[in-house]
Amino acid sequence: MSFIYTSVKFAFALGMFLSGIMKLTDALSAEVHRELVTQLDAFSVEPWGFLGLSGEDFRRSIGCTEVLGAVATLIPWQPVRTAAQLLLVVLLHAAWGTHMKVEDDKGLPALVFAGMGMLLLTGGKGKLAQPAPALATQPTAGAKKED
């Protein structure tokens, strides 16, 4: 893996981990935590009120998803890593859409992190990672081998 791809992977995981921790606890910054509590309490009513979650449950579910997704992004087993990255990219697009809907100008970080997640999902190649191609078929018995 390239140095840039690995750097983006660790920056993405660290950013998502810290974002989730700040939603769950005030250990890193009481002021940021208070602002997130207020913001996510409001989001749990509009536009996500149809979920029927309280503000605290909404905040905890988003925070836990971000923390667990960040940890899973660093797991070497590709199916788990890809599922975590995909989940976080969907979550980040929902966050960006939420910020756009309430017009609070805080959607740019979500969009940047979604772009980083998309880069990780594509393996830095601009297309979704494809499984290895099937092995070439072996000639059948009795078939002539061409030179």
Side-chain angles (χ1 to χ4, degrees), residues 28-123:
L28 296 177
S29 171
E31 182 180 331
V32 172
H33 178 72
R34 237 183 339 270
E35 182 181 331
L36 286 170
V37 167
T38 304
Q39 187 177 46
L40 290 170
D41 282 349
F43 289 168
S44 71
V45 176
E46 177 62 35
W48 296 101
F50 67 90
L51 294 174
L53 295 174
S54 68
E56 184 175 351
D57 290 340
F58 183 72
R59 180 177 46 84
R60 285 184 178 164
S61 64
I62 298 296
C64 287
T65 302
E66 289 176 349
V67 169
L68 294 175
V71 170
T73 295
L74 300 175
I75 290 176
W77 194 40
Q78 181 159 0
V80 171
R81 187 176 62 235
T82 301
Q85 291 166 348
L86 184 60
L87 176 67
L88 289 174
V89 166
V90 169
L91 183 70
L92 287 163
H93 277 91
W96 176 71
T98 300
H99 286 290
M100 295 304 293
K101 181 169 176 60
V102 298
E103 299 174 356
D104 68 356
D105 298 329
K106 294 181 182 176
L108 187 59
L111 193 59
V112 169
F113 273 91
M116 290 170 68
M118 288 300 295
L119 177 72
L120 295 174
L121 279 172
T122 61

